[in-house]
Amino acid sequence: MADHSINTPASESWLERCFALRARGSSARTECLAGITGFLAAAYLLVVIPGLLAAGGMDKGAATTGTILVFVVGTLLMAFYANLPFIVGPGIGGSVLVGVSLAGNAGIGWPIGLGIACWSGVLFFLLTRFGLREVVTRSVPQSIKLGLTASIGIFVALLGFRNAGLVLASAKNNALMLGDFLSPGALVALCGLFLAIALQARRIPGAILWAILCATLVGIPAGVTHLPSSFIALPHSLTPVFAQVDIIGALNIAFLPYLFVFFASEFFSTMGTTLAVGGEAGLLDEEGNMPHINRPFIVDSIAAALGPWVGIPAATALIESSASAEAGGKTGMTALAAAIMFLLMLLFTPVALMIPKEATAPALILIGLNMFSGLRKVDLANFTDGLPVLMMVMITLIANSFGTGIAGGLLFYVMIKTIAGKWREIPLGLWILAIPLVYYFATLVRH
C-alpha cells in the first residue's frame, strides 16, 4: 500500500531534495518511526554517560546537558551532510576512560582526559580529510583490531558489576570478590539485568532503556532511587564543563596510549558501525563498500573533536543505529527524527539525574559482555596472533585500565612475533609506536 504520510508537494520536494527518500525506497513515515526506534535504543546513554563522567568529578547535570547537545548536533550533521540513518553520540568506552580510568583510578583530571579526546578527534579528522585512513588500518594488526573491543568490554562489564554491588574489591587479600546479592542495590540491578535480557531476547526496541526505567522504579521502595522535586525543568548550565579542555596538558608523552585508545576506538568503531548498519539498511555496493564513506567519518571526527568542549568525549556513530536500520531507516531523515527526540530531552534532565548507578549497571554489563564477540574472529590457534590479544584482555583486567591493556597487547605483539622469528609480519608503523609505549610502561612501573 502506498504511503501518503507526506502532507504537501512543498514538503515532499524539500524532503526529496534533502534525503532522496524515493531513490532509496523509503517514505517519511517509515523514516520517522525508524528515528524514534533508534532514539529508544540509544536513549539509555543519556543516563549512563553522565554517570560515568560524574565518577571522575564532573558535574553530572552539566554532563547531562552536554551529552544531549552532542547527540543533537552530531546526529543532525549525519542527517544533512552524510544523509545516513546513523545516530551520533558519546560512546561508553571513552566516557569510562575519562571518568573512571583516568580521573578515578589514575588521578589524571578529566580536563586532561577531554584534551586527549579532543586531539584524537582532530587526528581522526586530518587522517580522514587527507585520505590516510588506510595507513592507520595497515599499522594495527588485524588480531589486535578484533580483540580491541573485547579488551574494552571486560573493563566495561566489570565496571557494571561493581556499580551493581555484585563485585567488590577485597581490602583483605587485594582481589575481587562477590558482593551481597541480597542488598537493595544488587537486587535492583539484578531486576534490571534479567528484564533487559528478556526484552532483548524478544527483540523489543529500546530493551536496555526500558530495563533501566523499570529498575529505577523498583529502586524507589528499595530506597535506592531518590525522586526529584520536579520531573520537568530547564536544562542544567554547561558552565562547569564548557571549554574545560586541557589541550596542552594532554600532550604529555605518557598519555600516548590513551590517545591511541581514543583514536583506535573511534576509528574502528566508526568503520564497523558504518559497514554493519549500512549493510542492514541496504546501502552497500556489490563489493560490500559504502559510497562516500568519508562523509560519516568526517561527521564522526568533527563530533569527536568538538564534544570535549561541552564536556563529552569520544562521540561516534553508535551501533544502536542498527535499531533504526531494522525499522526501515535508510536516509538522513531517520537521523533528523532521532535528533529531534534527543532535543526534547533537554526539558527532562531531572528524570535522567534521578536514575541510580545500580539501574544503569545492567546496560554496562550487557554491552561489555557483548563486546567479547570480536574474539570469535581472532585466530587463537595461531599462537603469535592469539596470545597478544589474550594478554591484552588480561592486562586490562589486572591493571584496571584498557589503555594500559591495549598498549600491552601491542608491545606483546611485537615481542612475540620477533621471538617467533616472524618479525617481517610487524608493520613499520607498529615498530615506531612501540618506542613510546616502552617508555610509557617504564614510567608506569616507576610510579
Side-chain angles (χ1 to χ4, degrees), residues 386-438:
L387 186 58
V389 174
L390 297 178
M391 290 296 295
M392 179 170 63
V393 175
M394 285 302 300
I395 293 173
T396 298
L397 180 62
I398 295 169
N400 196 31
S401 165
F402 56 76
T404 302
I406 292 170
L410 289 170
L411 278 181
F412 267 102
Y413 184 91
V414 173
M415 290 188 290
I416 291 172
K417 287 289 185 180
T418 302
I419 294 171
K422 298 182 178 181
W423 56 271
R424 292 183 180 84
E425 298 180 12
I426 303 173
L428 175 61
L430 192 53
W431 281 112
I432 297 173
L433 182 62
I435 297 172
L437 291 182
V438 169

Side-chain angles (χ1 to χ4, degrees), residues 361-398:
L364 299 175
I365 293 172
L366 289 179
I367 290 170
L369 294 179
N370 284 335
M371 286 175 144
F372 276 77
S373 61
L375 287 178
R376 293 179 303 176
K377 300 178 182 178
V378 177
D379 185 9
L380 296 178
N382 184 332
F383 184 77
T384 59
D385 281 341
L387 186 58
V389 174
L390 297 178
M391 290 296 295
M392 179 170 63
V393 175
M394 285 302 300
I395 293 173
T396 298
L397 180 62
I398 295 169

Side-chain angles (χ1 to χ4, degrees), residues 35-54:
I36 294 172
T37 301
F39 163 77
L40 291 175
Y44 72 93
L45 291 170
L46 297 180
V47 179
V48 175
I49 298 300
L52 293 172
L53 296 174

